[in-house]
C-alpha cells in the first residue's frame, strides 16, 4: 500500500475528484446479507476515502450519495440511507473538523427529510471556515434537474433585465449551477463495473477523465483510490489540443 502511495505525484493531483459509489447492494447480496448492511459498509469506505483524499491534498471531493432516481427505491431502503446519513453526519463532524474539511451539499435538498436537512445545515455551518478540502455530498441530485433550475434562474434574470441574453456563456451557466463554487471535475471514479454517468454532473465533467473499477464500493480501499489517481496521472489531458501543443 505504501508502495502505491509513493507513486503519486502530489503536484499533479486532480483538483476535483467525483465518485459514483456503486455496488453496496451487490456486495451485501454476495455475502447473503441485507442491502442495508451493504450501505452501512459503504459508509466505512466513505470515511476512509474522505480521510485519504484529505491526506493526499485533494482540494475537492464530490460523492454521489443519493440521486433523484433513488427516491424510487423501496421506502425501507430510502429510510435506511437517510438514517445512515444522519448518523454519519453526527459521527463524522469531529473528523471533518480535525482534517479541516468543509462540508457542502448539492441537489434538490428541500426534498430531503427535515431531520436530514437540519443535520446537514448544522454540519455545513460548523465546518464553513475549513480550508483544507471541500467535501460535497450530492443528495437528491440529478444533473438534468440542476441544468433546468439554472436555465430558469437565468431566464428570470434576462426577463427582469438583470443580465442580457448576449452575456450568457459558460461563466453565467457555471454561476447558476449547484456547483458554482467548485472547479470543473478532473477525475470521475465509478465502482462496481458499471460504465455509466447516471445523471451525475453532466456539464461539469466535460473534460474529466474516467476511471472504472469492478471493485464494489464497500471494498473500495485506499489502495483502490491510489490506483485511480495513478491512472489519472499517467494520462495526457489535451483539452482538444494536439500532443505537441501540450508538451
Ligand atoms: C450504490 O449502491 C450506493 C448508493 C445508492 C448510496 C451510497 C450511500 C452510501 C455509501 C452510504 C451513505 C452515504 C454517506 C455520504 C454517509 P447500490 O445500492 O446502488 O448497489 P447495487 O447497484 O449493487 O444495488
Amino acid at each position: 500500500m505504501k508502495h502505491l502511495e509513493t507513486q503519486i505525484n502530489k503536484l499533479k493531483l486532480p483538483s476535483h475528484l467525483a465518485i459514483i459509489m456503486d455496488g453496496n447492494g451487490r456486495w451485501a447480496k454476495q455475502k447473503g446479507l441485507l442491502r442495508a448492511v451493504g450501505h452501512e459498509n459503504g459508509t466505512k469506505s466513505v470515511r476512509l476515502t474522505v480521510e485519504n483524499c484529505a491526506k493526499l491534498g485533494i482540494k475537492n471531493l464530490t460523492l454521489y450519495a443519493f440521486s433523484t432516481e433513488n427516491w424510487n427505491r423501496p421506502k425501507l431502503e430510502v429510510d435506511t440511507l437517510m438514517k445512515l446519513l444522519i448518523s454519519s453526519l453526527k459521527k463524522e463532524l469531529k473528523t471533518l473538523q480535525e482534517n479541516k474539511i468543509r462540508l457542502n451539499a448539492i441537489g434538490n435538498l428541500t426534498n430531503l427529510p427535515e431531520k436530514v436537512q437540519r443535520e446537514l445545515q448544522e454540519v455545513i455551518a460548523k465546518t464553513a471556515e475549513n480550508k483544507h478540502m471541500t467535501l460535497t455530498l450530492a443528495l437528491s441530485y440529478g444533473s438534468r434537474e440542476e441544468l433546468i433550475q439554472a436555465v430558469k434562474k437565468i431566464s428570470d434574470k434576462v426577463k427582469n433585465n438583470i443580465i442580457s441574453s448576449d452575456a450568457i456563456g459558460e461563466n453565467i451557466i457555471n454561476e447558476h449551477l449547484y456547483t458554482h463554487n467548485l472547479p470543473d471535475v478532473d477525475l470521475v471514479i465509478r465502482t462496481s463495473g458499471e460504465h455509466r454517468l447516471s445523471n451525475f454532473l453532466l456539464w461539469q465533467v466535460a473534460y474529466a477523465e474516467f476511471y472504472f473499477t469492478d471493485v464494489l464500493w464497500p471494498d473500495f480501499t485506499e489502495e483502490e483510490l491510489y490506483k485511480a489517481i495513478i491512472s489519472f496521472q499517467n494520462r495526457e489531458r489535451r483539452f482538444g489540443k494536439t500532443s505537441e501543443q501540450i508538451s
Side-chain angles (χ1 to χ4, degrees), residues 82-91 115-116 119:
M82 294 300 142
K83 277 190 198 135
L84 273 177
L85 199 57
I86 295 173
S87 62
S88 299
L89 287 166
K90 280 190 199 296
K91 218 164 51 192
K115 226 174 150 186
V116 176
E119 202 59 46

Side-chain angles (χ1 to χ4, degrees), residues 35-245:
R35 290 180 64 84
V37 183
H39 294 311
E40 263 169 47
N41 279 273
T43 62
K44 291 184 189 161
S45 300
V46 169
R47 163 181 248 250
L48 198 67
T49 302
V50 169
E51 282 184 342
N52 283 309
C53 285
K55 201 168 78 186
L56 281 174
I58 290 175
K59 299 311 280 180
N60 299 282
L61 170 65
T62 299
L63 302 177
Y64 204 3
F66 196 86
S67 71
T68 45
E69 291 75 22
N70 285 153
W71 291 116
N72 298 322
R73 291 198 175 188
K75 185 177 179 311
L76 189 67
E77 182 163 347
V78 172
D79 289 348
T80 301
L81 284 165
M82 294 300 142
K83 277 190 198 135
L84 273 177
L85 199 57
I86 295 173
S87 62
S88 299
L89 287 166
K90 280 190 199 296
K91 218 164 51 192
E92 303 305 339
L93 175 63
K94 199 164 155 252
T95 319
L96 296 178
Q97 300 294 40
E98 280 168 5
N99 290 285
K100 303 265 178 298
I101 299 169
R102 177 175 80 92
L103 186 73
N104 179 38
I106 56 171
N108 194 342
L109 304 178
T110 51
N111 279 352
L112 295 167
E114 264 180 39
K115 226 174 150 186
V116 176
Q117 291 188 45
R118 266 203 309 277
E119 202 59 46
L120 205 54
Q121 291 316 328
E122 192 182 323
V123 179
I124 288 173
K126 285 186 173 154
T127 60
E129 299 304 318
N130 290 345
K131 298 274 188 288
H132 182 63
M133 182 173 96
T134 297
L135 166 64
T136 300
L137 298 183
L139 291 166
S140 190
Y141 176 86
S143 191
R144 288 187 172 178
E145 188 181 73
E146 177 185 36
L147 287 162
I148 291 166
Q149 67 79 37
V151 171
K152 284 184 179 163
K153 279 193 206 151
I154 295 168
S155 47
D156 269 354
K157 287 187 182 170
V158 171
K159 198 167 69 188
N160 294 312
N161 291 319
I162 297 168
I163 53 172
S164 82
S165 59
D166 288 343
I168 300 172
E170 289 193 17
N171 286 343
I172 295 281
I173 294 178
N174 279 328
E175 284 165 18
H176 291 83
L177 295 175
Y178 299 140
T179 51
H180 57 88
N181 49 6
L182 299 173
D184 269 1
V185 175
D186 297 305
L187 173 62
V188 177
I189 297 175
R190 183 166 189 153
T191 58
S192 90
E194 308 289 357
H195 297 186
R196 288 190 290 275
L197 210 39
S198 302
N199 205 11
F200 188 45
L201 303 171
L202 300 180
W203 169 275
Q204 297 88 338
V205 301
Y207 287 101
E209 296 291 329
F210 290 81
Y211 180 88
F212 299 105
T213 169
D214 288 340
V215 168
L216 304 173
W217 179 249
D219 290 329
F220 192 83
T221 56
E222 61 246 69
E223 197 176 357
E224 298 303 325
L225 173 71
Y226 299 153
K227 277 192 217 160
I229 294 170
I230 292 164
S231 163
F232 167 81
Q233 294 188 332
N234 287 328
R235 299 182 196 184
E236 181 187 59
R237 300 180 78 203
R238 294 196 293 276
F239 301 96
K241 294 181 181 170
T242 66
S243 224
E244 290 70 28
Q245 285 174 304

